[in-house]
Amino acid sequence: MNLPEPQAGQAADRAREAPVRPRLRPRPPALRMSLNLTPMIDVVFNLLLFFLVLSRFGPREGMLPAQLPSDAAAPPAMELPRTPVRVRLAADPVSPADCRVTIDRFNESPMPFRALGPALRRIRLQEPGFDHLTPVHLIADDDVAWDHVVNAYNAALAAEYERIFFAGSP
Amino acid sequence: MHSRLREYILRPSDGINMTPMIDVTFLLLTFFMLASHFASSEKVSLELPSPDDSRAVDRRFRDKVMINVVHQGPDLPPRLTLGAMPAGSLAELAAGLQGVARRDPGVQVILRADRRLPYGVVRRVMEIVAAQGLTRLQVAAELSEDG
């Protein structure tokens, strides 16, 4: 096939019109930067385990100190008998889950648990013959929930009595 | 990237690699913490009493024996354990406590009883503890929210 040859003048014109490209220097080989993630993952998982073990789930638990009776712990005969504060806990006939709290001689009508601590404190501070060594007897019916008995025990501790005893109902 | 940072990342390591040491330290720490959790496995899951303005304190005792009284239902007898060992009956509990009292009469008895239990049941347990000559009792309860 015969094609028309470009004329020399036309080729020279095209060469003049084309933009002049700067000659590029050869690029240096690209630096491959990378972080080793393995030790970081190791440490992160270790920290995660550590805090999981450290953390506590659910309510925290503590101790209320108490003393159980024994022959050795009986008061010496030289000590005069003291009139105890008798706190009575009875199951509420209307709502068996609740209970009625009274204090013999002082609060014969049922009171809420919130009022028990202040009432015991008032007896200790204001009533003659009563102090922190006065025995407190918690007299509860067998069907009262343990939660209520511990609540009453805690109230007596909060009122700063030192001799608190669990007792059964007579 | 800034040339200094690039140099820092690419520089050859010339110090001690701390990562394995941190790994091993945390693993040991976690191991010992887990081991201490296993030691407290005698704590049976139950609902502890939660008194208003609780005066309970978080205390640890070296010489202690733990009694768990677990509520199983309104008409079912409670489940008893002495430490991590189940006690089938009050008599079995008394026999276990007798051995404990013989070894160490001054041991702290930690009573963990479910809050829903009737007082009569817990009182029977306390009477059995006292009958063995053990007088130091700790009643487990929830701590106050701020304590």
Side-chain angles (χ1 to χ4, degrees):
Chain A
M1 196 160 68
N2 291 329
L3 290 173
E5 282 185 15
Q7 292 182 1
Q10 286 177 344
D13 289 344
R14 248 185 259 126
R16 265 197 303 273
E17 284 166 11
V20 180
R21 287 185 182 170
R23 181 174 276 180
L24 293 175
R25 285 188 301 169
R27 275 190 178 177
L31 292 170
R32 292 179 62 82
M33 287 179 290
S34 66
L35 282 173
N36 187 4
L37 287 176
T38 314
M40 196 185 77
I41 294 168
D42 274 4
V43 174
V44 167
F45 271 108
N46 265 324
L47 281 171
L48 190 70
L49 268 178
F50 171 73
F51 285 111
L52 270 176
V53 171
L54 191 72
S55 58
R56 296 181 180 192
F57 302 102
R60 293 178 61 210
E61 181 174 333
M63 301 294 156
L64 295 168
Q67 189 80 21
L68 289 173
S70 78
D71 292 341
M78 285 161 60
E79 188 180 330
L80 290 171
R82 305 182 66 137
T83 307
V85 177
R86 292 193 177 89
V87 179
R88 291 187 188 275
L89 307 172
D92 193 333
V94 180
S95 167
D98 297 327
C99 91
R100 299 154 57 101
V101 190
T102 57
I103 306 175
D104 283 9
R105 288 177 53 207
F106 299 104
N107 293 74
E108 299 280 0
S109 55
M111 66 175 98
F113 264 110
R114 286 263 174 208
L116 180 61
L120 288 171
R121 185 183 292 273
R122 188 188 57 75
I123 293 168
R124 179 175 68 79
L125 294 174
Q126 295 177 7
E127 296 292 336
F130 290 85
D131 59 19
H132 64 288
L133 293 175
T134 301
V136 177
H137 292 181
L138 301 177
I139 304 165
D141 289 349
D142 279 355
D143 51 352
V144 169
W146 174 237
D147 191 32
H148 296 312
V149 182
V150 174
N151 209 348
Y153 186 86
N154 184 72
L157 273 181
E160 295 172 24
Y161 286 89
E162 292 180 9
R163 298 167 65 190
I164 312 162
F165 300 99
F166 295 102
S169 52
Chain B
M1 190 181 289
H2 198 274
S3 63
R4 274 190 182 176
L5 180 60
R6 193 165 53 194
E7 281 170 20
Y8 177 79
I9 291 170
L10 295 176
R11 79 197 158 113
S13 173
D14 53 354
I16 300 170
N17 187 3
M18 296 292 284
T19 315
M21 200 184 76
I22 296 170
D23 274 4
V24 171
T25 307
F26 271 109
L27 272 175
L28 281 173
L29 198 65
T30 311
F31 169 76
F32 283 114
M33 293 183 78
L34 275 174
S36 70
H37 272 231
F38 284 131
S40 65
S41 64
E42 56 189 4
K43 282 187 181 177
V44 178
S45 172
L46 48 81
E47 286 185 32
L48 286 176
S50 58
D52 305 329
D53 187 24
S54 176
R55 294 287 161 142
V57 285
D58 188 6
R59 294 183 68 187
R60 306 285 159 90
F61 301 99
R62 184 179 287 176
D63 301 319
K64 67 173 191 293
V65 60
M66 197 171 285
I67 299 173
N68 294 287
V69 192
V70 185
H71 181 68
Q72 300 198 102
D75 300 322
L76 293 169
R79 185 162 59 87
L80 297 163
T81 70
L82 178 60
M85 301 294 292
S89 64
L90 286 174
E92 212 171 294
L93 179 70
L97 285 171
Q98 205 170 16
V100 171
R102 211 178 299 124
R103 284 195 299 275
D104 182 8
V107 70
Q108 295 277 356
V109 179
I110 295 173
L111 177 60
R112 299 181 76 247
D114 195 296
R115 57 189 292 183
R116 297 162 292 179
L117 285 167
Y119 173 57
V121 170
V122 186
R123 187 164 62 87
R124 285 293 299 137
V125 173
M126 286 195 286
E127 283 168 358
I128 282 168
V129 174
Q132 313 310 318
L134 300 168
T135 58
R136 296 167 143 198
L137 183 72
Q138 300 287 332
V139 176
E142 283 183 11
L143 290 173
S144 62
E145 284 173 8
D146 56 347

